[in-house]
Amino acid sequence: MKFVCNGLVLSEAVMKVSKACGVRTPAPIMEYIKITAGRDGVSLLATDGEISILKEIQAEIFEEGAVCVPGKLFADFVSKLTGEEINIASSENGIFIGYADAGTNMQTLDESEFPVIDFSIDETSFSLKKSDLKKIIGETAFCCAQDDSRPILKGCLMTFGDKLEMVALDGYRLALSEAQIAAKSGENKIVCPARTLTEISRMLSDEEEEITLFTKGGMFMVSCEGTVIVSRLYNGEFIDKNKVIPSSFSTSVTLKKNELIASVERAAILIRGDKNNLVTLSVGQNMVKVVSSSEIGNVAESVKAQVQGMEFTISMNAKFLLDALKALEEEEVELSFNGAISPFIVQNKEEKHSLYLILPVRKVS
């Protein structure tokens, strides 16, 4: 294998695919990137068994072939050569990376050891605008669980009906958002890993151009501008959102989003490091009082609000509330409650295409 390419182009491609490299895996090959030089250019492929990322770049090919290089090491090295033309050639001892008047050698593994990735995933397809997909991922994926206690909650439930509905929850909060579908080949429900969706979001622009998602036999695939992502889907029963989200509320609060964010952020400073990160909202007549206290000190601020319903006090994780508020678009938001110990939701005042449900925390005196 031998080819010459632009250092910046190679570095950007390697950085993308290295996100799929495994870390301290039982199979060392999962920590490698497969580089293939063919007639049409160079492709780079990495996989950790759950997610696979393929990126194709233009290069001047002198000799076709394939080799596997240590992913993170190779990515770190070529990231220092973005201003150079790079010459890569393989041999029995590994690869030679030439640049300017210098060069280095790097050990490799045989490409035959690399797993075979199936890219023929085309049983069911769904199309929507790139901007809509990027937006809906950004509005939900951050609410997925981070631990392995319930693996299915590390993914988002995607329901393809008249619209794409995406749901994420981690046991303490829930995110729900919708986006228009341009075309579909059938109705389906899948649970896609949040990690996969985050990588997809990174390669999407805010363009109105459509993108197509494909599924087949527990696998998911999307292709965009020379990058292909293939991922396993999670199996199992996802929590039914209709059993979690209340259908009615006893109190409704409308206020300026940025005013509440600023107040909660100030309150959160004094409780930084506390286990539960608790902030308290006291809902009263025409205002919401934001309170926090710790050994360092306390904060008590009032935010003007339109309040309909009963007065009460409720405590919650400050980060969860801030995450929800910052994900909303409108200047005014609506918080809906059923008292001090029931889950509450946060939404835009007008457009209700997304909502965030947060479980309160009983404050111990």
Side-chain angles (χ1 to χ4, degrees):
M1 179 185 74
K2 186 176 181 180
F3 65 89
V4 175
C5 66
N6 178 276
L8 178 60
V9 171
L10 178 62
S11 178
E12 289 178 345
V14 172
M15 289 303 295
K16 284 183 179 179
V17 300
S18 66
K19 298 293 178 57
C21 288
V23 179
R24 295 185 294 276
T25 63
I29 194 65
M30 295 288 195
E31 300 175 23
Y32 280 63
I33 294 173
K34 180 180 178 182
I35 303 176
T36 304
R39 289 184 302 173
D40 300 325
V42 172
S43 66
L44 300 103
L45 175 63
T47 183
D48 63 1
E50 178 178 88
I51 182 174
S52 305
I53 302 179
L54 171 71
K55 177 67 178 177
E56 297 178 344
I57 62 172
Q58 293 296 314
E60 187 176 0
I61 310 298
F62 294 96
E63 183 180 334
E64 297 181 13
V67 70
C68 295
V69 297
K72 301 299 183 183
L73 182 64
F74 187 71
D76 288 344
F77 193 84
V78 298
S79 69
K80 308 301 182 184
L81 303 174
T82 55
E84 306 288 345
E85 183 177 75
I86 299 179
N87 172 21
I88 292 183
S90 63
S91 66
E92 293 181 357
N93 299 320
I95 63 167
F96 173 78
I97 306 171
Y99 47 94
D101 296 325
T104 190
N105 292 287
M106 189 174 293
Q107 290 186 341
T108 60
L109 293 180
D110 191 277
E111 60 93 12
S112 63
E113 297 182 33
F114 200 85
V116 176
I117 307 301
D118 182 11
F119 291 97
S120 59
I121 300 171
D122 56 4
E123 188 173 83
T124 307
S125 64
F126 314 94
S127 299
L128 68 163
K129 293 178 182 178
K130 290 180 181 179
S131 56
D132 287 346
L133 179 57
K134 186 178 182 71
K135 183 172 179 291
I136 196 173
I137 292 172
E139 291 175 338
T140 55
F142 67 87
C143 283
C144 289
Q146 301 296 315
D147 59 63
D148 295 318
S149 58
R150 298 185 69 181
I152 198 167
L153 297 187
K154 293 175 69 177
C156 289
L157 173 65
M158 303 172 70
T159 303
F160 299 90
D162 295 333
K163 297 181 179 180
L164 166 59
E165 180 186 84
M166 194 175 292
V167 179
L169 68 156
D170 62 6
Y172 303 98
R173 55 180 172 170
L174 175 149
L176 166 66
S177 189
E178 295 179 340
Q180 290 292 330
I181 293 178
K184 61 177 180 175
S185 64
E187 295 193 17
N188 198 7
K189 286 186 178 182
I190 61 173
V191 181
C192 186
R195 177 186 168 208
T196 299
L197 293 170
T198 299
E199 292 305 323
I200 291 172
S201 179
R202 285 174 178 160
M203 73 179 189
L204 294 174
S205 63
D206 291 322
E207 299 175 359
E208 297 297 292
E209 182 182 351
E210 290 180 7
I211 189 168
T212 302
L213 318 176
F214 297 92
T215 65
K216 179 182 178 181
M219 301 297 293
F220 178 86
M221 185 179 77
V222 61
S223 177
C224 180
E225 298 178 359
T227 302
V228 182
I229 294 180
V230 172
S231 174
R232 294 186 182 278
L233 298 172
Y234 291 145
N235 295 317
E237 286 296 319
F238 204 84
I239 294 175
D240 184 354
K241 73 177 191 307
N242 295 319
K243 295 181 179 179
V244 178
I245 301 173
S247 58
S248 60
F249 300 91
S250 59
T251 302
S252 174
V253 177
T254 303
L255 40 63
K256 298 288 186 181
K257 179 183 69 174
N258 289 336
E259 290 181 5
L260 182 57
I261 288 175
S263 186
V264 174
E265 285 182 334
R266 286 190 289 270
I269 292 173
L270 293 185
I271 55 174
R272 190 178 295 160
D274 287 4
K275 181 179 179 181
N276 293 319
N277 195 30
L278 288 186
V279 64
T280 298
L281 302 184
S282 292
V283 179
Q285 188 174 6
N286 299 321
M287 66 89 184
V288 171
K289 195 171 185 180
V290 180
V291 179
S292 72
S293 61
S294 68
E295 294 179 355
I296 299 173
N298 60 76
V299 172
E301 300 183 5
S302 294
V303 178
K304 293 180 180 179
Q306 299 173 27
V307 180
Q308 294 181 340
M310 58 183 288
E311 299 181 3
F312 64 97
T313 298
I314 186 170
S315 299
M316 75 286 297
N317 184 298
K319 181 181 184 302
F320 293 170
L321 179 57
L322 288 171
D323 285 347
L325 291 169
K326 291 177 181 180
L328 296 172
E329 304 169 310
E330 296 181 4
E331 293 183 4
E332 288 192 310
V333 294
E334 184 177 54
L335 284 69
S336 302
F337 302 92
N338 280 318
I341 60 174
S342 297
F344 66 96
I345 66 169
V346 184
Q347 290 179 290
N348 289 315
K349 180 184 176 183
E350 301 297 336
E351 288 291 333
K352 307 292 188 181
H353 68 274
S354 63
L355 69 80
Y356 298 92
L357 178 143
I358 302 172
L359 293 183
V361 179
R362 295 194 181 189
K363 191 172 182 180
V364 178
S365 301

